[in-house]
Amino acid sequence: MEQKDAPPPLMYRVERPVFDEAYLHTQLLHPRERSPKTIRQRLAQHCSSERAKAIALSFLPILTWLPSYPVKEYLFGDLVSGLSTGVMQLPQGLAYAMLAAVPPVYGLYSSFYPVLLYTFFGTSRHISIGTFAVISLMIGGVVVREAPDSMFMIQALNGTATNTTVFIDTEARDARRVHIAVVLTTLVGVIQLVLGLLRFGFVAIYLTEPLVRGFTTAAAVHVFISQLKYLLGIQTPRFSGPLSALHSVTAVFSDITSTNVTTLIVGGVCMVVLYCVKDLNERFKKRLPVPIPGEIIVVMVSTGISYGLSLSENYQVDVVRTIPSGLLPPAIPDFSLLPNLVTDSIAIAVVGFSMGISLAKIFALKHGYSVDGNQELIALGLCNFVSSFFHTFAITCSMSRSLVQESTGGNTQIAGLLASMVVLLVVVAIGFVFQPLPQTALAAIIMVNLLGMFKQFRDIPALWRTSKIELVSLDQSTWCWMSSETCDSASLFQAAECTGIKIFHSNSSIYFANSDLYLNALKEKTGVDPVHLQAIRKARKRKLKKESAERESQNHKSPQKMRGGSQNHLEVQGNGQVAETHTESDSEETRFLEPLCPVHTLILDWTPVNFIDSVGAKAIKLVIKEYAAVDVCVFIAGCSRTLLAELRTLQFFTGVVAPEMVFPTVHDAVLHCRRRTAPPTITESSP
């Protein structure tokens, strides 16, 4: 017996009747109109107990996973992760409050209430909610614009009636700025909550990846510049509006001679220590059980040195000063400030949600579950709106803390809940310990944490080579609007489907504004969701592992039974040979190797597609990789030569995607798929 070396070439033959529009409309598209449902049937469908339960579970996602929370498997990892994240959240909360132009303790409030609420309403199990540099900077810009230092200048007599001293009433200024930040946060929460209830979770797709990365990089530059005066110990005004960064740099360098040397030394040493710790964490992340908490080490050591040497009194080093113990009672924000904050709140709401959902999707894909964009909007809206009554400023997720929360073994938002408890402990009991903390140490924490954002400058050469339009961040939505009329070819003509093959056709190009819609429609129409299939595979693995452990335990208890052949059996074949069969192990392997779904191939019909950008190309490559992980192959058909040239420019054919996966027509792709999945042809060799 031998297999043929080269199969004959596939032949393309098509034979069908001639169709006209009348026949297509009456016989194929609408063969029979279904009888309309009565009002009672419709009410029963929309008001059933199952639907009510589904709505409750979607609004409170914690109810979907907490009842089946595996304590032995998850609790230790969540405990370690929560403590690690909480320790990191403390110094960041204090530091980012400076960016928001409010006293440091309000950063601790913002690190407690929103995190607690997100545990119940969020759909991501791994992101760390709380203060974030970019959002804090946006809030600070608004706060300083609405309550500048010039509003709180007070002249005081200096001995005589002719000599006066001008100083700033910092207590009144800080109180006013807190009110503005709180009202802004309330409005941000309302906007996010309303958008979520109106199912506007798709708005984030209009913020392209290059645009978001460009925005965060530019914001990082502003944040870095804003911290120079704290690092050097220079007293300069805080600027807002256009060219504020240039004005800040000019003010710092014009007063550089008044640098406080002690402040600079403390800040410089903190930066060096933090950088070294982060480098060690990156180099040895596979060996370290938990990352070294560089931020909390810097905070504790610098606070101890400041207290021991009295840096504030002896060397005029600016410190955090008063941190009141306990939580403030809830209060209603001053809504008279709303009219001046509407535009800013919209920007903060959309940017905060975009950053949160982007990171949430990354972790969801990695760990095999799904996140709901609309519910994420509702969760963030509730976190901001409710927490604002407890004196917090707007929050979103932090990339650095989320990575720590996930890498230290966090499995669910129980880790986030424990992190918020760490912050609560500090606020209620030991907040006074951080009063001698030098502000230059907080500035060092902020600056070092910006290094990851500065690495995004590397995007410039890549975008110059692949897409100059995205490089200059042109508003593509003005000339390229989304089109989500999606359908599959089988349902359009009610054609007979090839077994195991689904063909997906969408009447739109693929770019930043509709790439998520395209992928969601692909999964919905084909009925093949790789995230769901990955969850099935993991459950199957856990079940087989549990069954195997139970059998091993039973075998240890009854070795005689095991020797009697519970797993291995000898069979005598017809030719007198003895063959060994493995009944249980074979059945286990057979069950594990069973296909996760009956569909093994997806064909994307790109005949209507005439444009694709880098965001769309990345989305398609990512979904191809997702499907490959669950043994579903994806092929592309009907690409124009212009589109193929764009794909090559975008370096689409690398990694999981090869040119052999693209066919000129859908029929070519189907024939290839049918041959690929057909059993090999076996012929008998001549004796």
Side-chain angles (χ1 to χ4, degrees):
M1 302 285 289
E2 64 179 8
Q3 186 174 349
K4 289 185 177 180
D5 295 332
L10 291 172
M11 301 304 295
Y12 192 137
R13 296 187 182 94
V14 178
E15 184 177 350
R16 65 167 175 80
V18 175
F19 295 140
D20 57 30
E21 179 57 28
Y23 179 80
L24 290 175
H25 184 78
T26 59
Q27 301 298 321
L28 296 181
L29 293 178
H30 307 283
R32 290 182 182 178
E33 295 293 339
R34 295 182 178 178
S35 58
K37 294 182 179 180
T38 64
I39 296 177
R40 183 176 181 180
Q41 289 174 330
R42 293 179 180 178
L43 288 176
Q45 179 181 358
H46 292 285
C47 301
S48 62
S49 59
E50 291 79 7
R51 184 172 178 82
K53 181 180 178 181
I55 293 174
L57 291 178
S58 64
F59 187 69
L60 281 170
I62 190 174
L63 298 178
T64 62
W65 55 265
L66 186 60
S68 58
Y69 181 82
V71 176
K72 293 183 179 179
E73 186 177 353
Y74 281 1
L75 184 58
F76 180 76
D78 282 342
L79 178 62
V80 174
S81 175
L83 293 176
S84 302
T85 309
V87 165
M88 189 176 181
Q89 197 139 6
L90 288 171
Q92 288 191 356
L94 294 169
Y96 294 154
M98 294 170 56
L99 291 179
V102 296
V105 69
Y106 291 93
L108 296 181
Y109 300 154
S110 302
S111 299
F112 168 64
Y113 291 107
V115 182
L116 182 65
L117 289 170
Y118 187 84
T119 303
F120 297 93
F121 297 101
T123 59
S124 174
R125 303 177 189 175
H126 294 88
I127 63 173
S128 174
I129 292 295
T131 57
F132 183 56
V134 174
I135 299 298
S136 300
L137 180 69
M138 296 175 71
I139 296 170
V142 177
V143 166
V144 173
R145 183 194 70 204
E146 297 296 323
D149 290 341
S150 57
M151 289 181 58
F152 304 94
M153 294 291 187
I154 298 178
Q155 290 185 346
L157 296 177
N158 189 16
T160 64
T162 57
N163 295 329
T164 60
T165 301
V166 178
F167 67 95
I168 299 175
D169 186 352
T170 56
E171 184 175 348
R173 180 200 64 185
D174 290 346
R176 178 68 174 178
R177 289 180 173 180
V178 168
H179 289 159
I180 295 171
V182 167
V183 175
L184 181 64
T185 302
T186 305
L187 195 52
V188 168
V190 170
I191 292 171
Q192 291 176 332
L193 189 57
V194 170
L195 289 177
L197 293 174
L198 295 178
R199 319 305 289 173
F200 268 73
F202 66 88
V203 294
I205 62 180
Y206 292 101
L207 292 174
T208 69
E209 181 187 6
L211 182 62
V212 172
R213 290 171 69 87
F215 173 81
T216 54
T217 305
V221 174
H222 280 263
V223 173
F224 190 90
I225 291 173
S226 70
Q227 297 306 297
L228 288 176
K229 66 177 184 179
Y230 298 107
L231 183 68
L232 301 175
I234 298 175
Q235 301 296 329
T236 63
R238 181 163 179 167
F239 300 92
S240 61
L243 303 179
S244 59
L246 293 179
H247 294 318
S248 298
V249 171
T250 302
V252 168
F253 281 99
S254 63
D255 200 22
I256 195 72
T257 55
S258 61
T259 298
N260 187 312
V261 178
T262 305
T263 300
L264 178 59
I265 293 174
V266 173
V269 172
C270 290
M271 290 185 71
V272 171
V273 171
L274 282 172
Y275 180 82
C276 293
V277 170
K278 286 186 177 295
D279 186 63
L280 288 174
N281 285 335
E282 183 64 26
R283 289 175 181 269
F284 303 101
K285 59 183 178 182
K286 294 183 179 180
R287 300 182 183 178
L288 294 172
V290 294
I292 303 173
E295 284 90 349
I296 198 64
I297 292 174
V298 164
V299 166
M300 297 302 295
V301 173
S302 61
T303 300
I305 293 175
S306 175
Y307 177 78
L309 299 180
S310 300
L311 295 183
S312 177
E313 293 78 10
N314 297 335
Y315 301 94
Q316 290 72 53
V317 175
D318 292 328
V319 297
V320 170
R321 299 191 185 280
T322 304
I323 296 183
S325 298
L327 299 172
L328 297 178
I332 299 176
D334 183 5
F335 293 112
S336 63
L337 302 171
L338 285 179
N340 297 336
L341 307 177
V342 174
T343 304
D344 303 293
S345 61
I346 293 174
I348 294 173
V350 175
V351 172
F353 166 65
S354 177
M355 292 180 176
I357 193 64
S358 300
L359 205 58
K361 286 184 175 181
I362 292 174
F363 287 121
L365 174 61
K366 181 177 179 181
H367 294 276
Y369 64 93
S370 60
V371 292
D372 184 350
N374 295 312
Q375 180 60 29
E376 283 297 294
L377 262 175
I378 293 173
L380 284 176
L382 286 172
C383 288
N384 282 316
F385 176 73
V386 176
S387 300
S388 67
F389 291 85
F390 296 89
H391 315 282
T392 66
F393 55 86
I395 51 84
T396 184
C397 79
S398 165
M399 181 178 295
S400 59
R401 289 199 311 271
S402 298
L403 291 173
V404 169
Q405 182 166 316
E406 188 262 350
S407 63
T408 52
N411 298 291
T412 66
Q413 279 300 332
I414 295 296
L417 179 64
L418 293 173
S420 69
M421 294 298 106
V422 173
V423 177
L424 178 63
L425 174 65
V426 172
V427 172
V428 173
I430 58 174
F432 66 91
V433 172
F434 298 100
Q435 292 182 168
L437 173 63
Q439 291 187 6
T440 185
L442 297 177
I445 292 173
I446 294 173
M447 289 175 157
V448 174
N449 280 324
L450 294 174
L451 293 179
M453 292 186 184
F454 286 131
K455 292 179 181 178
Q456 294 176 161
F457 278 109
R458 301 172 184 172
D459 294 350
I460 295 178
L463 286 175
W464 176 262
R465 291 191 302 268
T466 59
S467 178
K468 296 180 178 61
I469 294 177
E470 293 177 269
L471 174 63
V472 296
S473 298
L474 292 180
D475 185 6
Q476 299 185 36
S477 60
T478 59
W479 57 270
C480 197
W481 186 249
M482 58 179 282
S483 172
S484 58
E485 301 170 359
T486 54
C487 63
D488 57 57
S489 57
S491 64
L492 179 62
F493 294 110
Q494 293 194 349
E497 293 186 357
C498 298
T499 304
I501 300 175
K502 290 281 187 178
I503 303 170
F504 182 75
H505 175 96
S506 175
N507 297 321
S508 67
S509 294
I510 305 171
Y511 52 102
F512 73 93
N514 75 340
S515 58
D516 276 357
L517 294 175
Y518 182 91
L519 299 183
N520 291 337
L522 170 64
K523 297 170 184 177
E524 178 185 354
K525 295 290 183 179
T526 60
V528 185
D529 188 345
V531 174
H532 179 64
L533 295 179
Q534 278 282 25
I536 294 176
R537 170 170 285 179
K538 289 184 178 180
R540 191 179 291 179
K541 284 183 177 180
R542 287 196 298 267
K543 183 177 180 181
L544 291 176
K545 184 178 180 181
K546 182 179 179 180
E547 291 177 355
S548 178
E550 289 177 354
R551 275 195 308 274
E552 288 182 3
S553 177
Q554 292 175 358
N555 291 336
H556 284 302
K557 293 179 181 178
S558 55
Q560 185 64 31
K561 182 179 179 181
M562 181 182 68
R563 288 195 298 268
S566 62
Q567 291 187 351
N568 300 333
H569 300 274
L570 298 180
E571 291 184 356
V572 180
Q573 297 179 339
N575 58 3
Q577 295 180 346
V578 179
E580 185 178 24
T581 61
H582 307 270
T583 56
E584 291 186 5
S585 59
D586 283 353
S587 63
E588 285 180 12
E589 185 177 358
T590 302
R591 279 188 294 163
F592 184 72
L593 293 178
E594 287 177 357
L596 296 173
C597 73
V599 178
H600 54 72
T601 303
L602 299 180
I603 298 175
L604 308 183
D605 182 7
W606 280 9
T607 306
V609 178
N610 53 31
F611 170 76
I612 190 169
D613 66 358
S614 65
V615 177
K618 287 181 180 178
I620 297 299
K621 290 188 69 172
L622 183 60
V623 82
I624 291 175
K625 185 177 181 180
E626 289 182 50
Y627 278 115
V630 291
D631 303 323
V632 177
C633 296
V634 179
F635 296 95
I636 301 170
C639 292
S640 65
R641 305 311 302 177
T642 304
L643 184 63
L644 285 170
E646 291 179 0
L647 292 173
R648 289 191 174 94
T649 302
L650 294 170
Q651 299 179 351
F652 182 72
F653 298 112
T654 58
V656 296
V657 184
E660 290 78 13
M661 301 168 63
V662 180
F663 295 88
T665 67
V666 172
H667 200 71
D668 289 308
V670 171
L671 292 177
H672 171 79
C673 296
R674 296 184 70 174
R675 165 181 277 184
R676 186 179 61 86
T677 57
T681 303
I682 306 295
T683 60
E684 292 188 4
S685 60
S686 58

